[in-house]
Amino acid sequence: MWTPGRMSNAKSWLGLGMSLYFWGLMDLMTTVLSGTPTPPGKLEALLPDKPQSHLRIKRSWVWNQFFVLEEYTGTDPLYVGKLHSDMDRGDGSIKYILSGEGAGVVFTIDDTTGDIHAIQRLDREERAQYTLRAQALDRRTGRPMEPESEFIIKIQDINDNEPKFLDGPYVATVPEMSPVGTSVIQVTATDADDPTYGNSARVVYSILQGQPYFSVDSKTGVIRTALMNMDREAKEYYEVIIQAKDMGGQLGGLAGTTTVNITLSDVNDNPPRFPQKHYQMSVLESAPVSSTVGRVFAKDLDEGINAEMKYTIVDGDGADAFDINTDPNFQVGIITVKKPLSFESKKSYTLKVEGANPHLEMRFLNLGPFQDTTTVHISVEDVDEPPIFEPGFYFVEVPEDVAIGTTIQIISAKDPDVTNNSIRYSIDRSSDPGRFFYVDITTGALMTARPLDREEFSWHNITVLAMEMNNPSQVGSVSVTIKVLDVNDNAPEFPRFYEAFVCENAKAGQLIQTVSAVDQDDPHNGQHFHYSLAPEAANNPNFTVRDNQDNTARILTRRSGFGQQEQSVFYLPILIADSGQPVLSSTGTLTIQVCSCDDDGQVLSCSPEAYMLPVSLSRGALIAILACIFVLLVLRSLDQSCSGFWSLSALTKNSFLQFPECPYDGIGSP
């Protein structure tokens, strides 16, 4: 900083201004002697006695470029320099005028002497130079004595700005265990002083805090590691303070500082270690598969990916009964049940578990194996288990004609616990709503309780329960599938009513109908039906039956020349027999009408008796048909009167019938 002690007042710079003035004259002399063209006016000032006939003389300003130091803090105006015209004879007839940048505000001029002063504190970092214009006027007439000319006042720098770290504070990261000299970060300080003048802006870096761990290059500001084997696990964060000093670091220079926060990033330089070499765990024998038994943890001083762990079972007698998985969030090993356990079969297991880093760095392999092992002892605890059936599923086949009370299967269960409690058996009635079966409470004998009918239920799926007597809450169950086997207990029969016709002009051996049969039974080798005339019609002279040997039969005429007047309808009884053991049979009747036909065998007419209802219709069907006929006749006779409609409604009691065109009008009974 410029202080009053360095400059007490503006007069102390008078010598400097005069020096600049005479320096300008010497420069001009050098120019003349060297043969360089001389600015107008200056030659006249230097060589006043030179004959004018040999030189072109023009009056001109006499001055040079001005320099003034910044940061002057004195109380008097600061002398900058002097303007002088070679036409000025010192009698005060010349008036000097100053204009341009800062004229009258920053700089003033004595209009008589031409002395220039600075009246404000100057700062080179804000403005390095000012361009002004000067003019000399005849004080009496006000006319210009010289052409207006331009000149420059340059602000000369002093060391008044300390270096600054514009990007600080800094944050940097460097891997732990880095070699000495590893570059961490580069810091940069800037100095607002003039770098072209002296050493005011020449910065030198040094480290104030952070040794002996780090160093800084004095010229470039590059921070490097300075200590071998820096360990993140021992110290992770460092606060380094860097100083930048100008004047090339010399005494009296100004300085600035910044902070660099350096973090050591992790590398995989620590193997995992189990804090326990032995773990003791227990699990109930009833624990389901995949349930958790316990956790193991191998501690790793590293972090992130370098602390990731993989757990495996490498030895022990429980490798087939248990599994281990790694929790990626907490890096613990979770031991789970791999298969069902039994206290009665095996009461304890031993596992050897390994924890290892899956991500390794080659340069740290010489530190030893990056894995560790521990031993896990697992005890299986007994629980009161429900009875277990052996086998776990039953399939039974039974004929449908089995006698009631027949034992079809012995169901067996046992208590798996050491106590071996007594068992009581029962049937889950929701699985046997028809109560076709029952089971002996003590022996487990499964028996029939009702007749079985394969044609009604060919399969039964029941559930048998086994309960411990001493602990009724412990109940086991088993599924029993019962297939009802077929026996030949159904005779074959026609699937529908068969009716055929024969032409009056039919010939002997003419086919009039093909019949087939059905049987509800399901023999192993399939159905085989046999057809023949019933014994009472074995000698029928009109028709015969031919078995096609494919479960169908043909009905053929045995003669020709049928007549409606002789007999209009024939009833032919046909015997149908199956091939079961024993053989079952039934008789079906084929109704044959006699009709008149054309030469092509097309029916022209049949006897009215052919329209008679078959005798096999039930009484209810006949009544329903007669009722329909009666209703149709009544409707036709009502002459479409609404009163008749309501009478009919009352008659048939169909009060739910609604006819919009016949609203109830009080006539009859609605």
Side-chain angles (χ1 to χ4, degrees):
M1 295 290 296
W2 186 259
T3 62
R6 296 185 180 183
M7 178 184 293
S8 60
N9 51 55
K11 293 180 179 180
S12 62
W13 289 98
L14 180 58
L16 176 61
M18 295 301 293
S19 299
L20 294 173
Y21 178 79
F22 289 111
W23 177 82
L25 294 178
M26 292 175 65
D27 180 64
L28 183 59
M29 179 63 75
T30 303
T31 302
V32 172
L33 294 176
S34 62
T36 304
T38 306
K42 292 196 175 183
L43 184 59
E44 180 182 341
L46 286 171
L47 305 173
D49 299 331
K50 188 174 182 65
Q52 295 185 3
S53 59
H54 299 285
L55 293 172
R56 182 182 178 184
I57 299 174
K58 181 181 178 182
R59 303 226 176 239
S60 177
W61 294 105
V62 179
W63 71 73
N64 207 317
Q65 181 172 267
F66 295 110
F67 293 89
V68 59
L69 286 175
E70 65 172 335
E71 302 294 349
Y72 171 69
T73 58
T75 57
D76 296 330
L78 176 64
Y79 181 75
V80 177
K82 186 180 184 66
L83 293 179
H84 182 71
S85 172
D86 55 4
M87 297 181 65
D88 188 356
R89 302 306 178 187
D91 56 1
S93 62
I94 300 296
K95 181 179 180 180
Y96 295 98
I97 296 176
L98 188 66
S99 63
E101 297 175 346
V105 178
V106 180
F107 302 100
T108 61
I109 188 170
D110 187 317
D111 63 356
T112 301
T113 64
D115 291 333
I116 300 174
H117 290 84
I119 60 175
Q120 286 190 9
R121 185 173 67 87
L122 302 175
D123 188 353
R124 188 201 66 84
E125 286 70 43
E126 292 182 3
R127 187 160 190 163
Q129 67 180 28
Y130 294 83
T131 302
L132 296 102
R133 294 182 301 278
Q135 193 172 29
L137 303 178
D138 186 306
R139 189 180 295 275
R140 182 174 58 84
T141 64
R143 290 183 302 174
M145 301 297 293
E146 296 277 2
E148 186 180 59
S149 185
E150 190 176 81
F151 68 97
I152 294 174
I153 299 177
K154 285 191 174 183
I155 311 304
Q156 194 166 11
D157 185 50
I158 65 172
N159 189 20
D160 60 340
N161 290 279
E162 73 278 5
K164 294 182 179 180
F165 293 90
L166 301 180
D167 297 328
Y170 295 84
V171 176
T173 302
V174 64
E176 64 173 328
M177 300 296 175
S178 294
V180 173
T182 300
S183 176
V184 180
I185 192 174
Q186 183 177 19
V187 297
T188 302
T190 59
D191 195 314
D193 292 323
D194 189 356
T196 65
Y197 181 77
N199 293 326
S200 298
R202 189 162 72 88
V203 175
V204 173
Y205 299 95
S206 61
I207 185 167
L208 301 183
Q209 177 180 307
Q211 294 174 325
Y213 306 103
F214 299 95
S215 64
V216 64
D217 188 292
S218 61
K219 294 181 179 179
T220 63
V222 174
I223 300 174
R224 302 180 185 276
T225 57
L227 191 66
M228 292 182 60
N229 299 328
M230 284 194 292
D231 191 359
R232 184 198 66 84
E233 289 73 34
K235 182 177 175 62
E236 185 174 4
Y237 301 103
Y238 295 85
E239 185 179 74
V240 178
I241 298 178
I242 301 297
Q243 181 190 72
K245 191 173 183 181
D246 60 17
M247 299 298 291
Q250 296 177 8
L251 186 64
L254 303 179
T257 61
T258 188
T259 300
V260 183
N261 295 306
I262 301 176
T263 302
L264 296 185
S265 61
D266 187 58
V267 298
N268 195 5
D269 60 338
N270 290 281
R273 290 291 179 262
F274 283 101
Q276 296 177 234
K277 287 302 180 183
H278 297 277
Y279 287 85
Q280 185 67 46
M281 301 178 185
S282 61
V283 59
L284 296 176
E285 63 173 331
S286 59
V289 173
S290 299
S291 60
T292 298
V293 178
R295 291 171 171 81
V296 296
F297 175 62
K299 186 176 181 181
D300 194 321
L301 297 177
D302 297 318
E303 64 179 8
I305 190 174
N306 298 318
E308 288 185 5
M309 204 67 57
K310 179 178 177 58
Y311 295 93
T312 53
I313 297 174
V314 295
D315 200 0
D317 59 1
D320 60 338
F322 300 94
D323 203 354
I324 189 167
N325 299 292
T326 302
D327 183 337
N329 296 319
F330 301 99
Q331 301 301 321
V332 298
I334 303 175
I335 299 175
T336 57
V337 177
K338 189 175 181 180
K339 70 175 185 179
L341 304 174
S342 173
F343 172 81
E344 291 72 27
S345 299
K346 189 171 178 61
K347 297 179 175 58
S348 65
Y349 296 88
T350 300
L351 304 176
K352 186 176 182 180
V353 176
E354 177 186 85
N357 288 146
H359 307 286
L360 301 179
E361 295 193 33
M362 296 299 296
R363 60 190 177 121
F364 295 114
L365 290 179
N366 59 348
L367 297 179
F370 275 70
Q371 67 265 350
D372 195 16
T373 59
T374 188
T375 302
V376 181
H377 300 283
I378 302 176
S379 299
V380 180
E381 296 184 358
D382 188 28
V383 296
D384 191 4
E385 300 173 273
I388 297 176
F389 286 89
E390 295 179 354
F393 173 79
Y394 289 89
F395 175 75
V396 181
E397 292 181 329
V398 57
E400 62 179 323
D401 61 350
V402 66
I404 296 175
T406 301
T407 298
I408 61 175
Q409 181 68 50
I410 299 296
I411 308 299
S412 177
K414 70 174 184 178
D415 183 4
D417 299 316
V418 177
T419 54
N420 194 18
N421 291 319
S422 298
I423 304 297
R424 292 294 180 263
Y425 299 93
S426 62
I427 293 177
D428 183 354
R429 284 306 170 189
S430 64
S431 66
D432 183 28
R435 297 181 179 270
F436 287 95
F437 306 94
Y438 73 94
V439 64
D440 187 274
I441 190 172
T442 57
T443 64
L446 182 63
M447 294 172 278
T448 56
R450 285 180 53 191
L452 302 179
D453 186 357
R454 188 203 66 83
E455 287 69 43
E456 182 181 7
F457 298 107
S458 59
W459 293 87
H460 295 269
N461 293 286
I462 66 173
T463 300
V464 177
L465 306 177
M467 179 185 68
E468 291 184 13
M469 285 192 62
N470 296 338
N471 188 356
S473 64
Q474 296 298 325
V475 179
S477 63
V478 69
S479 295
V480 182
T481 297
I482 302 170
K483 180 180 181 181
V484 180
L485 301 177
D486 185 55
V487 297
N488 195 27
D489 57 349
N490 291 278
E493 58 186 2
F494 285 145
R496 60 185 177 85
F497 172 74
Y498 279 109
E499 184 178 24
F501 71 88
V502 61
C503 295
E504 291 179 311
N505 56 0
K507 305 298 182 182
Q510 184 172 328
L511 173 67
I512 63 171
Q513 182 69 48
T514 300
V515 297
S516 62
V518 294
D519 192 327
Q520 296 184 31
D521 293 322
D522 185 19
H524 180 70
N525 295 322
Q527 296 285 5
H528 298 284
F529 300 135
H530 304 281
Y531 300 87
S532 62
L533 291 174
E536 63 271 23
N539 297 320
N540 189 302
N542 302 307
F543 305 97
T544 185
V545 175
R546 294 284 179 85
D547 194 329
N548 294 327
Q549 302 299 318
D550 60 356
N551 290 339
T552 64
R554 292 173 294 164
I555 311 302
L556 306 173
T557 58
R558 297 187 71 175
R559 66 181 180 87
S560 60
F562 293 89
Q564 294 185 27
Q565 299 301 324
E566 298 176 3
Q567 186 172 347
S568 61
V569 179
F570 294 91
Y571 298 100
L572 184 66
I574 300 174
L575 180 67
I576 314 166
D578 61 21
S579 57
Q581 293 295 329
V583 175
L584 297 180
S585 64
S586 68
T587 300
T589 300
L590 174 64
T591 301
I592 305 172
Q593 301 180 42
V594 179
C595 302
S596 61
C597 304
D598 58 17
D599 294 338
D600 296 327
Q602 298 296 323
V603 175
L604 298 176
S605 65
C606 298
S607 171
E609 296 176 353
Y611 297 99
M612 294 179 59
L613 293 172
V615 296
S616 60
L617 288 178
S618 65
R619 180 181 298 176
L622 290 172
I623 293 173
I625 293 173
L626 291 175
C628 291
I629 295 173
F630 174 74
V631 170
L632 292 174
L633 293 174
V634 172
L635 286 174
R636 294 184 61 183
S637 66
L638 286 178
D639 196 23
Q640 297 184 351
S641 67
C642 290
S643 60
F645 164 71
W646 288 115
S647 298
L648 176 62
S649 298
L651 178 64
T652 60
K653 300 186 183 301
N654 289 331
S655 59
F656 56 85
L657 295 175
Q658 296 182 12
F659 288 84
E661 64 273 15
C662 288
Y664 177 60
D665 57 1
I667 303 175
S669 300

